[in-house]
Amino acid sequence: AIEIERAFDLRMQKKQKDVATAEYKAVEINAQLEALHEEKSRHEEELRAQIVEAKQATRRVEAQAKQRAKATRDTKERAEKAAETTRAEVKELEKMQSDALRAEKSTCLKLRRDSAELGERCELLAREVEEEEVRRSTEQKMLDGVEADLEESRLEAEELI
């Protein structure tokens, strides 16, 4: 009976030791679990802060994009107005020049009938008029090129918008 009691006591001690070990491990696991929860909370706080920062950065970028788009639209409008004004001024100047050239040519032809000397001068002026028309034609081609460049810039500005 004493041996049975001793064996029973040994088993009880072993079970108590196993319970103590399990309790110690449970305390250790709980501490680790609590540390993980704290780390998770810190990570969540950091993520919230990053999300807030990302939203603010997004708002700033959107505001900058709106400002750039407005500046581009304003620049485009100013360029279009300047181009219209320039075209109108060029047409007015060309008309004035054309009227002046026609009047000069007409006067020259009338004077040719009256005087051979004046006729020679008129021929010279007629050549100058033709050269001027060639020059004006060249300028018109250049102006057409500038208008094409303006149109291309306008299309690029629209693409940027």
Side-chain angles (χ1 to χ4, degrees), residues 60-78 153-154 156-161:
R60 283 192 303 271
V61 168
E62 287 173 348
Q64 289 173 350
K66 286 179 183 177
Q67 288 174 344
R68 286 185 192 126
K70 184 183 182 322
T72 301
R73 281 191 305 273
D74 292 347
T75 301
K76 177 186 160 198
E77 288 173 6
R78 284 192 303 271
S153 295
R154 183 185 69 75
E156 287 176 5
E158 287 180 0
E159 289 178 11
L160 286 174
I161 290 174

Side-chain angles (χ1 to χ4, degrees), residues 81-133:
K81 287 178 184 176
E84 287 176 28
T85 302
T86 302
R87 281 191 292 271
E89 289 172 352
V90 166
K91 285 182 182 179
E92 185 177 328
L93 288 172
E94 285 176 345
K95 184 182 181 312
M96 289 170 56
Q97 186 179 24
S98 177
D99 291 347
L101 288 172
R102 266 192 242 109
E104 188 175 344
K105 190 174 183 180
S106 173
T107 302
C108 189
L109 291 173
K110 288 177 186 174
L111 291 175
R112 185 184 290 167
R113 291 182 213 128
D114 296 341
S115 166
E117 186 178 301
L118 289 176
E120 291 176 9
R121 167 85 173 111
C122 286
E123 287 178 19
L124 179 64
L125 285 174
R127 275 187 245 126
E128 288 177 6
V129 166
E130 289 176 8
E131 289 173 2
E132 183 63 28
E133 288 176 348

Side-chain angles (χ1 to χ4, degrees), residues 1-62:
I2 293 175
E3 283 185 29
I4 292 174
E5 199 174 304
R6 239 189 238 161
F8 179 74
D9 285 342
L10 283 175
R11 274 187 267 161
M12 282 300 280
Q13 287 175 356
K14 185 176 182 331
K15 285 186 181 189
Q16 286 174 348
K17 184 180 173 185
D18 289 345
V19 167
T21 302
E23 286 175 350
Y24 175 77
K25 286 184 179 178
V27 167
E28 217 176 71
I29 289 171
N30 281 337
Q32 289 175 350
L33 187 59
E34 191 174 314
L36 286 174
H37 280 298
E38 288 175 12
E39 187 175 340
K40 177 187 169 202
S41 294
R42 269 187 269 117
H43 284 301
E44 286 175 347
E45 289 287 325
E46 289 173 5
L47 285 174
R48 283 188 199 104
Q50 289 175 353
I51 288 170
V52 167
E53 188 177 316
K55 285 180 180 179
Q56 290 172 345
T58 300
R59 285 188 206 109
R60 283 192 303 271
V61 168
E62 287 173 348

